[in-house]
Amino acid sequence: MNYTQLIKRAYEITRRYKVLWLFGILLALTSGSGSGTGWRGGGGDMGGWPFPGLDRLGLGRVDWPTLAPIILAGCGLLFVLMIVAIIVNYVARAALYRSVDQIEATAAAPTWREGLQLGWSRRTFRLFLLDLVVWLPFALVALLLLALGATPLLFLLSDQTAVKVFGVLATIGAELVIVLALIVIGVVLGIFAQFWSREIALADRGVGQALATGYALARRRLKDVAVMWLLLFAIGLGYGLVFLVILAAVVAVAAAVGGGIGLAVHTLTHSVGWAVAVGLPLFAVIVLVPSVFLQGLWLVFESAAWTLIYRELAAAKG
């Protein structure tokens, strides 16, 4: 396997075929994101909750009976957005896999409409099922192991200080070993998943057959696969450092622009709320746009590289 040639070709595909950027950006927007909501309550009066520090903003008291339907509607909207994000994520993934495959097979890139059509198929649903089959059991086993690793904390029930210290130290040691093991297993599964998913997206196999043939394909050339993973990992580290430098500069510019405009709004309105409402979105947009774009380009390159590796191994097997 010519590792350098594969990396160069993945870079060339990323640079030349800008239609792939759309799918990379969609993938960046819908990957690795999450949200959480924390609730705290005090007292038995659910009709309102005092916040004296917010009196100047007119938010010194929250009317829960009025606010509850808004919260429920927001939760419902968030759930719908999560479902949409999952769908977009899988469609973008499949579109990237199949578009790069088409480029290599025909030397012609699909249009963005054709790319979306490639991503919107039954194969994409099977990709989702594949992830459920692989990662849901992994998550459950991980939670179980972490729970078992915390069992030495039961020694805290003892009255002896030495026993309590032993329980804490044993828990820390066990959890560290479990976390390291889970990281290694997760990396290995992630490598094989590159081949399982492409067996579905490119070879149009079912979930069970994709697991078997994808594993066999990678296992047959495990050394080459490991070397390519290490190369991509090293390139990813370099990209990460460059990204952090660019992000720091972008954050500085965003803080200057958003903070400056927010200060101007505060000077005109004497309202902290309006200043934040205007300045914060500007800050977020200035930071997010280049960040998502750069992350999208990286995802295109990474996906293209694994697709090229898969194609070479599949061709060698054939």
Side-chain angles (χ1 to χ4, degrees):
M1 180 178 290
N2 191 331
Y3 310 113
T4 304
Q5 186 61 35
L6 284 174
I7 296 297
K8 288 181 177 179
R9 180 55 182 162
Y11 169 76
E12 179 65 20
I13 289 173
T14 304
R15 183 190 66 82
R16 180 178 177 185
Y17 299 101
K18 296 179 176 57
V19 66
L20 301 178
W21 296 4
L22 169 64
F23 307 121
I25 290 171
L26 290 175
L27 202 56
L29 283 171
T30 56
S31 297
S33 60
S35 61
T37 308
W39 294 98
R40 295 178 62 190
D45 180 16
M46 298 305 292
W49 191 358
F51 292 92
L54 301 180
D55 286 341
R56 288 183 300 172
L57 301 178
L59 299 176
R61 196 166 183 83
V62 176
D63 186 359
W64 286 110
T66 302
L67 192 60
I70 299 176
I71 294 175
L72 292 175
C75 292
L77 178 60
L78 180 61
F79 177 76
V80 172
L81 290 176
M82 289 175 59
I83 299 299
V84 171
I86 291 172
I87 294 173
V88 171
N89 183 280
Y90 280 92
V91 169
R93 276 180 58 192
L96 272 177
Y97 296 165
R98 300 185 69 185
S99 295
V100 172
D101 186 60
Q102 177 176 315
I103 289 170
E104 289 300 285
T106 66
T111 65
W112 68 271
R113 289 181 181 273
E114 292 170 342
L116 288 176
Q117 290 174 354
L118 291 174
W120 186 264
S121 67
R122 293 182 179 179
R123 304 184 191 193
T124 304
F125 180 67
R126 293 203 298 272
L127 281 177
F128 173 73
L129 292 180
L130 174 69
D131 282 349
L132 281 183
V133 169
V134 173
W135 296 111
L136 182 58
F138 175 77
L140 294 176
V141 171
L143 291 174
L144 177 60
L145 290 176
L146 290 172
L148 290 175
T151 52
L153 289 177
L154 294 174
F155 286 111
L156 293 177
L157 299 176
S158 173
D159 294 330
Q160 299 182 14
T161 302
V163 174
K164 292 181 178 180
V165 171
F166 171 78
V168 172
L169 294 177
T171 299
I172 294 174
E175 295 290 6
L176 285 176
V177 172
I178 292 171
V179 168
L180 290 175
L182 290 175
I183 291 174
V184 172
I185 295 171
V187 169
V188 173
L189 286 177
I191 294 174
F192 283 111
Q194 299 290 350
F195 296 89
W196 295 332
S197 59
R198 284 164 178 81
E199 282 290 310
I200 289 178
L202 305 183
D204 197 16
R205 303 192 192 280
V207 173
Q209 190 178 11
L211 288 170
T213 56
Y215 170 79
L217 188 65
R219 180 67 179 83
R220 186 175 292 109
R221 300 278 294 275
L222 191 57
K223 178 182 176 181
D224 289 330
V225 172
V227 171
M228 284 303 302
W229 179 84
L230 288 173
L231 287 174
L232 290 174
F233 179 75
I235 295 172
L237 287 179
Y239 157 79
L241 292 175
V242 173
F243 178 82
L244 288 177
V245 172
I246 295 175
L247 182 62
V250 170
V251 168
V253 172
V257 174
I261 294 178
L263 181 61
V265 171
H266 181 267
T267 302
L268 293 173
T269 64
H270 302 287
S271 170
V272 176
W274 278 110
V276 173
V278 174
L280 188 59
L282 282 174
F283 173 85
V285 169
I286 294 173
V287 172
L288 287 176
V289 169
S291 300
V292 170
F293 176 73
L294 291 175
Q295 182 65 9
L297 291 183
W298 166 255
L299 291 174
V300 171
F301 168 79
E302 185 182 43
S303 177
W306 280 113
T307 298
L308 294 175
I309 297 166
Y310 168 82
R311 282 177 55 84
E312 178 159 329
L313 295 187
K317 176 185 176 184

